[in-house]
Amino acid sequence: MKYNIRRWNPLLIAIPDIGIGIMWGSLGNVMAFFGYMFTNSAADIAKIYSLAAIVGVFTQVIVGILSDKTKHKWGKRSPWIVFGMVAAGLSIAAWPLATSFTMFLVMSGITCTLVNVAQCAYYTMVMEVVDADQVGYANTLARTTATLGGLFMGALAGFMWDVQHPEYTFFAMGALMILSTILVLPLIVKERPENYISSEAFRLSLDFLANPEALKLFGITFLFFAASTGTNQMATSLFVKVLHFDVHVVGKFGFINSAASLVFGFTAFKLIDVFNRKHIFTFSALGLGLTNLYLLLFLREGVSAWLLYSWTFASGIFFIGGNVCMYTILSMVVPKSKLGEYMGLLNLFIALPQFIFSNIYGYIIDAGHAMWVIPTVAACYLLAFGLTLTMRLKGPRELREEVANG
């Protein structure tokens, strides 16, 4: 490695993802719990998720393109990450000032915009400060630290529900988001000079339409998040409000998902670069499809909470595998000079389905057809499985040869 330390960079650059994990980990529990203090409608709660998604659609594409062209003494990604996360953390601390659902919706939308500013630049930087044969390793570590943020949110969810102190919850969220970023960037982990000393003039293009593997990746990503929106963001509406599981059952989803992600992270962080990413992606999509078919067969009101816990753990394992592959494969199929732009596009295909399907699921649940959600989720994952089979990617040996040849 020409800059920083090869051995430590994958671990160090993973630390800021704790803050991002805290934010998105709050959607399915803390933000829903707080939102239900102002409304009793699943469609209203879905507006929080759809707003978070729609600001991501625009923000991440714009920031991806702009960060590719940024020239700053910290680099081209670090300024966006630091300023975005610090501002987001401060804005979260103001959430308890909300006095109505509309006010909370606007405030959370501002925070989501700021986190999206940081996120696109961050996920791009993860792949730029490590060598090509470490990208899978670095992405796995980053998703593992994001899991720690989600684990923290699982603890805060029950605390806020029981003692009614959102100000403590939101202050803790904001503080950890800020600290996990500024303790690493830009002083400890620095960007490689060759990545930002020179930059091309700004030019918006549609080159990605001529990249079949990128288009397949975007399609699979869309299907993954169309599916996960139904069982993650809508978890409180589906399992608590409709199926009448105790709120603490859903509160434990965060812990169980986190445990699954940690199991994956600690067992696969060195192995992820040994296997072909296509095979991991395919296995993850198939596993998610079958896991949700299992839920469809046995889920009903009054069933043991352990059904949900086992489903949550299995889904967590498969989803984190697929999520790591999304970002790792992106670095394999796009031009290095446009990695930020393509990262923005990938995040568009993460945010867009969440915007569309959170509203669809919300109206379905309010209309009394909540049991349609799980079949839709399973179908999306199985379609994604079919699409992964068509991908053509370099294997680990070819990637190692690229690094060896400079």
Side-chain angles (χ1 to χ4, degrees), residues 131-170:
D131 289 332
D133 63 334
Q134 292 181 306
V135 171
Y137 173 33
N139 276 321
T140 303
L141 286 175
R143 298 300 87 76
T144 303
T145 53
T147 294
L148 295 176
L151 187 64
F152 176 76
M153 291 316 306
L156 284 186
F159 176 78
M160 190 183 84
W161 190 263
D162 285 339
V163 300
Q164 300 288 300
H165 281 298
E167 65 274 15
Y168 299 155
T169 299
F170 298 142

Side-chain angles (χ1 to χ4, degrees), residues 311-333:
W311 160 77
T312 301
F313 185 82
S315 296
I317 290 281
F318 291 123
F319 193 85
I320 191 67
N323 190 247
V324 168
C325 286
M326 289 173 196
Y327 293 99
T328 305
I329 290 172
L330 184 73
S331 69
M332 299 167 60
V333 300

